[in-house]
Amino acid sequence: MKWQGRRASRNIQDRRANPGGGRRVGSRGAAQRIGSVGLIAVLIIGYFLGVDVSPLLDGGALDDSSTQRSAPLSAEEREAGQFVAVVLADTEEIWTQVFREQVGEVYRPPQLVLFSGATRSACGGADGASGPFYCPPDRMAYLDTAFFDVLRRRLGAGGDFAAAYVVAHEVAHHVQNELGILPRANQMRSQASEAASNRISVQIELQADCYSGIWAHYADARLGVVEPGDLAEALNAARQIGDDTLQRNAGRRPMPHTFTHGTSEQRESWFQRGYDSGQIGQCDTFNTSRL
């Protein structure tokens, strides 16, 4: 992906080196026992699988009176922040055009918060267990850039376009919010059974994958930043974080009734659908006979 030297978004809040974000603490310190990347890996896998990983963390809690970190950002962390800012700028340009051409409305871009370890959001305390996520009340996306290491080293989804897909997917949830889809879907989830709620969650996530495909479509067709192999990286990332693949890799038998994000085949298929069409109307996961 061609990203160096390009326009960066100003809608970034970088909390990685700022005090007051809170950090995870415990009787022995989970980060010290597991290692920073390993800790994030445990938490991310727990998030995707719906597993309570608190026993692995010595009952750690979010300490709002502490700082996130004392060391300055490394060169790698600074580059990750610059990369995210460029990708976010691309999503702003693309969705502004798509909203104007396909929706007839003005697109209001989200803020994106970079954090390290833990932070606060309108949806509550956030840490590695949350994974990258979007919070509708404050219209912000949240990302611990350590997730890129997890994606590459633990989940087998390396490459800058795979990382860009992560950013695009969270922005896609903001697009759903702007279109009024996310509030309606979350309202339905609150009134549904667990099984029905999980299915709605899958529909939300697969639509976000399809919208991510739309981003990739226009990043290629209009911005010209997609290089050979990039699409394969994004599709591989979608495949590696399918519920069935994550459960299988964790040594568990896939249990479809617990899926909340979709299978690998579904995630890959809906991303491809968005990429091929470039059309919001092709991403209606709520009115289709087959996900």
Side-chain angles (χ1 to χ4, degrees):
M1 179 181 181
K2 302 173 184 176
W3 69 271
Q4 290 91 344
R6 299 181 52 238
R7 182 179 74 87
S9 173
R10 294 183 178 180
N11 290 314
I12 292 277
Q13 290 186 25
D14 195 341
R15 301 179 185 174
R16 293 175 298 171
N18 293 334
R23 61 183 174 90
R24 176 72 58 177
V25 296
S27 60
R28 284 182 290 169
Q32 293 177 353
R33 291 189 303 109
I34 303 175
S36 59
V37 173
L39 172 63
I40 296 297
V42 169
L43 294 170
I44 295 297
I45 295 300
Y47 166 72
F48 278 121
L49 299 184
V51 176
D52 180 9
V53 297
S54 57
L56 298 176
L57 303 178
D58 285 335
L62 187 67
D63 179 4
D64 290 333
S65 66
S66 61
T67 60
Q68 284 182 270
R69 58 187 295 155
S70 58
L73 295 177
S74 67
E76 183 179 2
E77 288 172 322
R78 288 196 300 272
E79 182 176 79
Q82 293 165 0
F83 170 79
V84 171
V86 170
V87 175
L88 185 62
D90 286 350
T91 68
E92 291 165 354
E93 182 173 345
I94 288 167
W95 284 113
T96 294
Q97 294 178 345
V98 170
F99 265 54
R100 182 172 60 247
E101 296 170 1
Q102 298 184 29
V103 184
E105 295 181 4
V106 174
Y107 175 65
R108 299 179 300 166
Q111 291 274 318
L112 190 149
V113 176
L114 298 175
F115 69 95
S116 178
T119 193
R120 292 182 292 272
S121 77
C123 295
D127 57 23
S130 307
F133 73 98
Y134 174 72
C135 179
D138 61 21
R139 301 176 66 251
M140 292 183 181
Y142 292 80
L143 172 65
D144 186 332
T145 52
F147 182 73
F148 294 151
D149 289 331
V150 175
L151 198 66
R152 180 177 66 254
R153 300 178 185 178
R154 302 300 181 102
L155 301 183
D160 52 11
F161 209 68
Y165 155 72
V166 172
V167 177
H169 181 90
E170 298 313 321
V171 171
H173 285 311
H174 175 72
V175 171
Q176 291 173 311
N177 200 33
E178 288 292 284
L179 293 174
I181 296 170
L182 198 55
R184 290 195 299 271
N186 284 333
Q187 177 65 23
M188 289 190 295
R189 287 188 65 200
S190 68
Q191 301 171 345
S193 66
E194 181 178 356
S197 177
N198 285 348
R199 178 174 174 80
I200 295 169
S201 177
V202 168
Q203 291 170 317
I204 291 171
E205 296 299 329
L206 294 182
Q207 185 176 65
D209 281 330
C210 190
Y211 286 172
S212 301
I214 292 177
W215 154 79
H217 172 94
Y218 288 107
D220 188 4
R222 294 189 179 179
L223 302 184
V225 300
V226 179
E227 298 179 303
D230 280 348
L231 182 60
E233 289 178 2
L235 290 171
N236 178 56
R239 184 165 57 250
Q240 295 302 326
I241 57 177
D243 286 316
D244 55 337
T245 296
L246 287 172
Q247 291 187 359
R248 193 176 294 111
N249 289 344
R252 299 172 59 191
R253 178 174 58 86
M255 299 178 289
H257 69 282
T258 67
F259 292 173
T260 57
H261 289 67
T263 67
S264 293
E265 188 278 331
Q266 288 172 328
R267 302 201 71 168
E268 189 175 9
S269 175
W270 281 96
F271 180 93
Q272 185 73 59
R273 182 171 182 151
Y275 178 80
D276 289 341
S277 69
Q279 296 294 312
I280 289 178
Q282 292 297 312
C283 296
D284 188 357
T285 56
F286 295 91
N287 293 289
T288 181
S289 59
R290 182 177 181 275
L291 286 176

